[in-house]
Amino acid sequence: MEQHSGWSISPVWLIPLAAVLIGAWLLYDSFSDQGPEVILSIPTAEGLEAGSTKLKVRSVDVGKIEKITLADDYNGAKLTVQMNPDTAKLLGPDAKFWVVKPRVGPQGISGLNTILSGAYLQLRPAKQRSDKRHFQVQDNPPPSSTSQPGVSIKLVNDGDNTLSVGDPIVYQGQNVGQIEAGEFSVENRQTVYTVFIRKPFSDLVTDATQFWLRSGVDLHLGSDGVNVQLGSLQSVLAGGVTFGLPDGVAAGDTVAKGDRFKLYTTQDAAIQDRFDRRLEYVVLLNDSVRGLSAGASVEYRGLRVGTVEEVPFYMDGFELSSFSGFRIPVLIAIEPQRQSLAWANWSDEEWRKHQLQFFENGLRATIKSSNLLTGAMFIDLSFDDRNDDYEKTEVGGYTVFPSVPSQITSIQEQISDVMDKLNKIDVGPMVRQFKSSVSEAEATISSLHDTTEEVNALLRQPATQNIPMEIGDTLEEMQRTLGNFQEGAPAYRQFNDTLDRLNRMLDDAAPLTRTLRDHPNALLFGRPEGDDPVPRAKP
C-alpha cells in the first residue's frame, strides 16, 4: 500500500472557518452601521437617563445616550452617546451640544414639550467635518448669529448692571439681535459684551450710535421732577439693550466687526455724554446745598445750558481765604453744544471771553428748588441790574462764576431784619396801655353782664310774661271792631247813611258860605240887590 507524505485539511474544518468569516463580516457590518461614538462632558446629568435620552438635530433623532459615568476628576459627568449611521458628517470643531429642558428666559418660554417627554440633547451641526469626538455640553443654547448675516460688536459696561447671554437687542420695539457672550475684565473693571445684530438692522449701527440698557420700568427722581416710563410686560421681563442716534447728529460711518461702544445705563445718560465741550466754573454759594447733586441742571430762563459736575468741589490749590464766610464751592459746566446755546457758533475761548462780559453786565448764579416733592435743587442763571460790580477771581485755577443768595435766603435775611427791629421797639408803654384797655374792656363786659341780669329779671316777672297775652287780646278786639265795618254789616250801613246826610247838609250850606265869602256884612244888612256900580273915568 502506497502512503502519501504531508498533511491535508479535512473538509470538516471548512464549516467552522465559514462560521468565523461570517461572524467577522457580521461584526464589521454591525460596527459600520452604528455610527460614531461621542463623549460629552457636562457639569451635571440631571434629567438625563442612559438608554432613553435622545440626541436630536432639528427634532430628528440622530443618537442616544448609552452610558452615564462620573468624570475622571469627579467634577462633572461623562456621557457616552451612540450616534446613528451616516451622522459623522455632523461632527466637527464648531459643533455645539446643549440640553433642552423647560426654560424661562428673555426670549420667552421654551422646552415645554419636555415636561412630559423628558429632557434631551440638542446638536447644532458643524460647518466643517472632522474626527473630533469629545465635546463640552453648554448650559444655554448657542447664539444663532453664526448662521445669519449681520455684524458683531462689543459693548463696554462700567456700571454694576449685568446682562445675560441671549438678552435681546431691541430697536423701536423690534428684536434685532441678542447678547452672545459676556466677559468681565478684572484689570479694567469693565464688562465687555459681544453683541450680534442681524441684517438689515445692522445697517442702522454707525460710529455715532449710542447704546443703553432697556428696562420695562424706568423711575427717575431728579431736579426736573419725577419721570416714570412703563413699557410692555415683555420689556419688563426681557430687559436687554436698545440703541439710537442722538438728535441733530449725523448718521456717521458704518461699523466693522469688533468695534466697541459704551453701554449707558439710561438714555438720558447717553444724551448727556455726547456734550463733550464743557466750560467749567466754580460757584461759591452762601446757601445750603441740600438737594443739589451732580447731574443737576444749570438753566437760564428755563433752558438748560449746563450741568452741575460736583457738589461740593474741593481740590488741591484751594485756599481757606477763598471761602470767606465758609461758602460752599460747586463745580458747574456750561455746555455750548446744547440746543439752547448752539446758535452761538463760538469757540471755547470766545465763550469764555463773552462770559466775562456777561458777568460784568450782571449775570449771576443762584440755587433754586426745582421740585418740592423730591427736594431737588438746580443752578439758575439770570441777569441782575443791581449787581454790576464784578471783579474776576479764580479758585484753584477755575474762574469763579459770581453768585447771589437765593430768594429763600433773602427772605430769611429780611425776616431777620424785621425781628431785629421788633426787638429794638420799647414795648413797655404799649403793654401798659394794652393792660389798661383790657381792664376797661373787662369793666364794660361786667356792666353788660349786670344789665343782662336786670333784663332777665324783668323778663321773669309775671306782668312782663303776661304782656304777649294782653297784646294778643287787644289785637283780637281790634279785629272784631274792624269786622263790624265790613261791607254789609249794620254799622257799615249806618256809617254810610251818616255820611250821606252830612254831604246833603254841606250841599245846602254851600250858598250861604259863598254869600258870606263874597259879602261878609250880609248877616247884618242882607244881600244887596243888583250889581255894584262901576265907576267910569272922564273922557
Side-chain angles (χ1 to χ4, degrees), residues 256-459:
K257 180 180 179 181
D259 285 353
R260 288 179 171 246
F261 293 84
K262 183 177 180 180
L263 180 61
Y264 299 93
T265 55
T266 62
Q267 185 178 9
D268 291 338
I271 294 175
Q272 179 63 30
D273 191 63
R274 57 182 286 258
F275 302 120
D276 53 0
R277 290 180 57 194
R278 292 182 174 88
L279 307 177
E280 295 181 332
Y281 297 89
V282 172
V283 181
L284 303 178
L285 297 176
N286 288 318
D287 305 275
S288 171
V289 295
R290 179 187 295 273
L292 183 66
S293 59
S297 61
V298 178
E299 299 181 5
Y300 174 74
R301 295 184 178 180
L303 298 177
R304 182 163 183 172
V305 297
T307 304
V308 176
E309 296 287 332
E310 190 173 343
V311 182
F313 178 64
Y314 295 104
M315 62 168 294
D316 297 338
F318 281 9
E319 299 179 358
L320 185 61
S321 59
S322 303
F323 306 107
S324 59
F326 296 97
R327 292 181 295 175
I328 299 177
V330 175
L331 181 65
I332 67 172
I334 304 299
E335 297 162 340
Q337 292 172 311
R338 288 193 175 271
Q339 187 175 2
S340 55
L341 299 177
W343 55 270
N345 191 18
W346 297 335
S347 63
D348 290 354
E349 189 64 29
E350 290 174 331
W351 262 107
R352 295 186 183 279
K353 180 180 179 181
H354 285 89
Q355 281 290 95
L356 295 177
Q357 296 177 355
F358 295 155
F359 297 158
E360 294 174 354
N361 293 332
L363 182 62
R364 297 294 183 267
T366 185
I367 184 172
K368 286 187 176 182
S369 174
S370 62
N371 190 280
L372 296 177
L373 179 63
T374 62
M377 310 292 285
F378 72 102
I379 299 296
D380 181 67
L381 308 181
S382 61
F383 283 93
D384 191 348
D385 297 336
R386 297 170 298 179
N387 296 283
D388 54 358
D389 50 344
Y390 169 73
E391 182 179 354
K392 181 180 179 181
T393 57
E394 291 186 358
V395 174
Y398 292 89
T399 301
V400 175
F401 201 112
S403 62
V404 294
S406 64
Q407 293 181 355
I408 297 177
T409 303
S410 301
I411 293 174
Q412 291 176 346
E413 293 178 353
Q414 294 176 4
I415 293 176
S416 178
D417 294 340
V418 172
M419 295 301 298
D420 292 339
K421 293 180 180 179
L422 291 177
N423 292 331
K424 295 179 181 179
I425 297 177
D426 187 7
V427 297
M430 298 176 62
V431 172
R432 289 191 293 271
Q433 184 177 0
F434 178 73
K435 289 182 178 180
S436 177
S437 299
V438 171
S439 299
E440 293 178 358
E442 291 178 350
T444 302
I445 294 173
S446 178
S447 177
L448 180 61
H449 179 72
D450 295 340
T451 304
T452 304
E453 291 294 334
E454 293 177 358
V455 172
N456 290 334
L458 179 62
L459 294 176

Side-chain angles (χ1 to χ4, degrees), residues 77-130:
K78 184 168 63 173
L79 309 178
T80 302
V81 179
Q82 181 63 53
M83 299 187 64
N84 296 342
D86 299 328
T87 58
K89 57 186 177 181
L90 301 177
L91 302 176
D94 55 343
K96 304 294 183 183
F97 292 83
W98 70 94
V99 178
V100 177
K101 56 185 177 180
R103 300 176 186 272
V104 179
Q107 296 179 342
I109 301 175
S110 61
L112 293 180
N113 59 329
T114 62
I115 295 178
L116 299 178
S117 63
Y120 62 88
L121 293 173
Q122 183 78 10
L123 166 64
R124 173 180 288 179
K127 292 183 178 181
Q128 296 180 355
R129 182 177 178 179
S130 70

